[in-house]
Amino acid sequence: MPTNTEIIGLALDRITAGYVFPQRVVEIDNAIRSRLAAGAYNTLSGPELCETVTAHLQEVCPDKHLRLLWQDEPQSTDPVDEDGGRAAFLAMLRAENQGIRRFEHLEGNVGHLDVRRIADAGEGARVIGAAMQLAAHTSALILDLRECRGGSPEGAAMWCSYFFPDDQVHLNDIYERSTGSTRQYWTASHLPAPRYLDRPVYVLTSAVTFSGGEDVAYTLQAHGRAVLVGETTRGGAHPTARHPVTEHISVTVPTARTVSTVTGTNWEGVGVVPDLVTAAGQALAAAHKDALDRTA
């Protein structure tokens, strides 16, 4: 069984090697090692250790993706290659119907689409298309991301593509530290269902909405294509790698950063702020009322 010193040392090594802002790693490393030397973690173990180290990491560097995570089920400590991590992600999405929980018609021909994960643009395309086909003839659409906890940047771009007329909209960019490269994300030229144009679109948000869900909300808001209703989101904008440290502990390291082509920045640490602020539990009713008023 590794000691806390070994666990924290391995986690810090991963952060130093991969964190998207290399200028911050010395500060992060010094802050955590000074607490370690002072005995701050001596009596901690399991989830409590992970929660405490995560709080200290985010105290010195408020990045919501920078975390130590505890898993009850043991995991392999072998390094997870990119293909293996992607396979696990795709398997999770298949088990969750590519993140789509339900579609319903509300009064006044308003569509309500509940999305809990942002699927991969490849495997998820047909399911996303099926959902958008159901919404195709509605008068307004409410995209419910209140329980959406993340997903794929490519999938976020695909979701956004449905609300623009063609492939000429440059949505955002993602800078990758390891390669020094920047990948551009544009609207897709071909989609498996009709685009949703010239009608009101609402996005529901909550304090739970995170990462890929925030990407969709932020991008549609920045480009003026949706009205956001609900609560300020959790604030995690950095694509992240996950590394096993022990059989039960992993460290998540943000390795890239998203940059909006409209704002020049992102929602990291501040969240996505809705246009119509309301409690998450009241957001659907508020958006529905506004949609009925606009389409009457």
Side-chain angles (χ1 to χ4, degrees), residues 158-208:
M158 171 163 279
W159 272 110
C160 291
S161 294
Y162 278 96
F163 306 106
F164 297 95
D166 51 37
D167 61 356
Q168 298 302 302
V169 180
H170 185 183
L171 299 169
N172 54 35
D173 295 328
I174 292 182
Y175 166 79
E176 184 77 36
R177 175 191 166 180
S178 63
T179 61
S181 62
T182 298
R183 179 172 179 179
Q184 297 183 347
Y185 288 82
W186 293 70
T187 47
S189 57
H190 301 288
L191 296 167
R195 294 176 190 269
Y196 198 90
L197 307 175
D198 305 318
R199 285 162 286 175
V201 176
Y202 297 84
V203 176
L204 306 187
T205 61
S206 76
V208 172

Side-chain angles (χ1 to χ4, degrees), residues 5-23:
T5 298
E6 292 170 332
I7 291 168
I8 292 168
L10 287 170
L12 290 173
D13 288 346
R14 287 293 191 178
I15 293 168
T16 298
Y19 188 48
V20 64
F21 295 109
Q23 67 273 22

Side-chain angles (χ1 to χ4, degrees), residues 179-291:
T179 61
S181 62
T182 298
R183 179 172 179 179
Q184 297 183 347
Y185 288 82
W186 293 70
T187 47
S189 57
H190 301 288
L191 296 167
R195 294 176 190 269
Y196 198 90
L197 307 175
D198 305 318
R199 285 162 286 175
V201 176
Y202 297 84
V203 176
L204 306 187
T205 61
S206 76
V208 172
T209 309
F210 192 54
S211 195
E214 293 176 289
D215 186 347
V216 174
Y218 188 91
T219 301
L220 291 177
Q221 182 189 54
H223 285 268
R225 188 57 189 94
V227 176
L228 269 57
V229 183
E231 300 170 344
T232 299
T233 61
R234 192 170 156 197
H238 296 153
T240 300
R242 184 167 175 161
H243 305 285
V245 176
T246 73
E247 289 186 339
H248 294 280
I249 296 175
S250 298
V251 60
T252 61
V253 182
T255 58
R257 67 175 182 267
T258 302
V259 181
S260 167
T261 56
V262 176
T263 68
T265 183
N266 60 43
W267 58 95
E268 179 61 45
V270 297
V272 186
V273 180
D275 303 295
L276 300 177
V277 178
T278 184
Q282 300 170 6
L284 177 57
H288 187 202
K289 180 181 183 302
D290 197 77

Side-chain angles (χ1 to χ4, degrees), residues 128-150:
I128 294 170
M132 291 304 297
Q133 187 69 60
L134 292 172
H137 301 293
T138 57
S139 301
L141 179 62
I142 300 171
L143 186 62
D144 192 341
L145 302 180
R146 288 177 293 177
E147 295 292 331
C148 185
R149 300 168 188 268

